[in-house]
Amino acid sequence: MAHDHQHDHDHDHEHKHGHKHGHGHDHDWAEMAPLLESEAELFTPLYERALNWLAKEVTEPGLIVDAGSGPGVISCLFAETFPGARVVAVDGSEPLLERARDRAGRQGAGDRFGTLAGELPDVLGELDYPADLLWASRSVHHLGDQAAALAACAERLAPGGTLAVMEGGLPVRFLPRDIGFGRPGLQARINVVEEERFGRMRAELPGSVAVVEDWPALLTSAGLHHARSRTFLLDLPAPVTDRSRAHVVAALTRTREVIGEDLDADDRATLDRLLDPDDKASVHHRPDVFVLAAHTVHAAVRPV
Ligand SMILES: C[S@@+](CC[C@H](N)C(=O)[O-])C[C@H]1O[C@@H](n2cnc3c(N)ncnc32)[C@H](O)[C@@H]1O
């Protein structure tokens, strides 16, 4: 997953499959469910800090909408952080929304949790009430016209409501620059390929519009005030837990599948060695694996 322009992960995950549920381009989001879910679970400390930051600014929201919720890990964190709020998870993938509902039920929040399936941003028009807080993490960059999407989100806000988008940050790091074999700097070169791929993904989206990705400026152009940005870190140093290691294995496996052929032969061989469970120097065993990521949240308010 490259990310969002951050290259977290979904970028690396781009483009493997055909249209499965009409998002207008070639992702099979439902197939990515386990990875999206385990990644979001691992990143929970980062999201909790982001939500606590928002909680200082958004007092007692009645309705929170998570646009492009995926499997709803963050939607459920909203339900936990704001126990008085109703949460609606919106996504194009019904199988992912089913996971979101199951999660909310397990967490005891099923009675104040709803889902809405459909194409963003138009589906937001089907919401019964304006949102006090509308969150969109790593979803706006999958929409062809990002400025129009933000304007549509802003329109669905109640007066005084907050729009918060998580876009950008830094590419995730799992390994030291020099890992003892191959050419140092493998992850940086992977990021270059992911950036190219991300650019192609955006260019091929239906109604794709090139725009300067100045998120605070885009929020302001959408008619919102008080735009500000803050970046949140996920710092899971070595030695990592089994869960973190499993994430690194899954993420690099995905990288190998999606962009492996775009790397040069030496880097491909290095990546294969890193993923070989029988190799002591692979990410399955090496002691120096870590997870270091940074995601940026941009927030702004609808004038009263
Ligand atoms: C990278 S995932 C992000 C999931 C979650 N917000 C997170 O941060 O972990 C992008 C999500 O946006 C949804 N999505 C992408 N394009 C969409 C569209 N045009 N309409 C509705 N949902 C869309 C996908 O189904 C997927 O769940």
Side-chain angles (χ1 to χ4, degrees):
M1 303 185 172
H3 295 276
D4 302 306
H5 258 291
Q6 123 182 349
H7 312 277
D8 16 2
H9 254 338
D10 49 320
H11 300 188
D12 332 350
H13 298 195
E14 309 294 343
H15 305 298
K16 249 200 110 205
H17 306 280
H19 298 202
K20 294 282 166 73
H21 49 87
H23 285 187
H25 56 100
D26 54 353
H27 279 75
D28 183 350
W29 291 111
E31 189 190 76
M32 279 176 60
L35 189 57
L36 282 173
E37 198 162 329
S38 65
E39 179 183 63
E41 285 169 354
L42 190 71
F43 277 61
T44 289
L46 182 159
Y47 298 134
E48 280 174 346
R49 283 192 290 276
L51 270 49
N52 287 336
W53 176 63
L54 287 173
K56 284 191 204 127
E57 323 220 351
V58 184
T59 45
E60 303 199 0
L63 175 64
I64 298 172
V65 173
D66 183 359
S69 64
V73 177
I74 305 175
S75 325
C76 288
L77 285 175
F78 272 108
E80 208 177 297
T81 305
F82 297 95
R86 174 167 175 76
V87 176
V88 177
V90 181
D91 204 276
S93 169
E94 178 52 36
L96 293 182
L97 291 176
E98 194 178 322
R99 284 183 181 243
R101 288 191 297 272
D102 288 349
R103 176 174 291 268
R106 286 197 301 276
Q107 174 180 306
D111 57 339
R112 55 191 180 86
F113 193 91
T115 59
L116 177 61
E119 279 293 298
L120 287 167
D122 296 356
V123 67
L124 294 174
E126 293 174 32
L127 289 168
D128 292 334
Y129 301 98
D132 300 297
L133 176 56
L134 199 157
W135 165 268
S137 51
R138 308 187 300 155
S139 52
V140 175
H141 68 252
H142 292 292
L143 307 179
D145 188 340
Q146 298 177 105
L150 292 181
C153 290
E155 255 177 43
R156 297 308 300 155
L157 287 177
T162 295
L163 173 59
V165 296
M166 182 177 268
E167 290 287 348
L170 295 172
V172 67
R173 286 287 178 269
F174 302 136
L175 290 162
R177 185 191 67 92
D178 189 334
I179 56 172
F181 58 93
R183 185 176 151 218
L186 173 66
Q187 275 204 278
R189 289 190 297 285
I190 288 173
N191 295 148
V192 170
V193 174
E194 287 170 344
E195 286 287 354
E196 295 291 327
R197 192 169 189 91
F198 183 81
R200 285 199 300 277
M201 180 279 287
R202 282 222 41 85
E204 289 166 9
L205 286 172
S208 179
V209 176
V211 73
V212 177
E213 287 164 355
D214 176 345
W215 296 99
L218 289 169
L219 290 170
T220 303
S221 299
L224 304 179
H225 290 187
H226 189 38
R228 68 268 188 219
S229 306
R230 194 159 155 191
T231 296
F232 300 90
L233 200 66
L234 180 72
D235 179 17
L236 305 173
V240 289
T241 61
D242 290 349
R243 202 164 68 116
S244 300
R245 190 180 289 282
H247 171 73
V248 172
V249 170
L252 287 181
T253 300
R254 183 85 189 179
T255 298
R256 176 67 179 88
E257 287 168 10
V258 177
I259 60 132
E261 298 312 311
D262 297 326
L263 295 171
D264 70 27
D266 286 351
D267 281 344
R268 200 159 45 244
T270 303
L271 192 49
D272 284 340
R273 193 168 168 200
L274 280 171
L275 288 169
D276 179 358
D278 295 329
D279 193 324
K280 281 283 158 218
S282 73
V283 289
H284 294 271
H285 306 291
R286 49 189 307 134
D288 56 1
V289 167
F290 57 89
V291 179
L292 180 61
H295 292 272
T296 305
V297 179
H298 312 273
V301 177
R302 177 163 181 167
V304 181

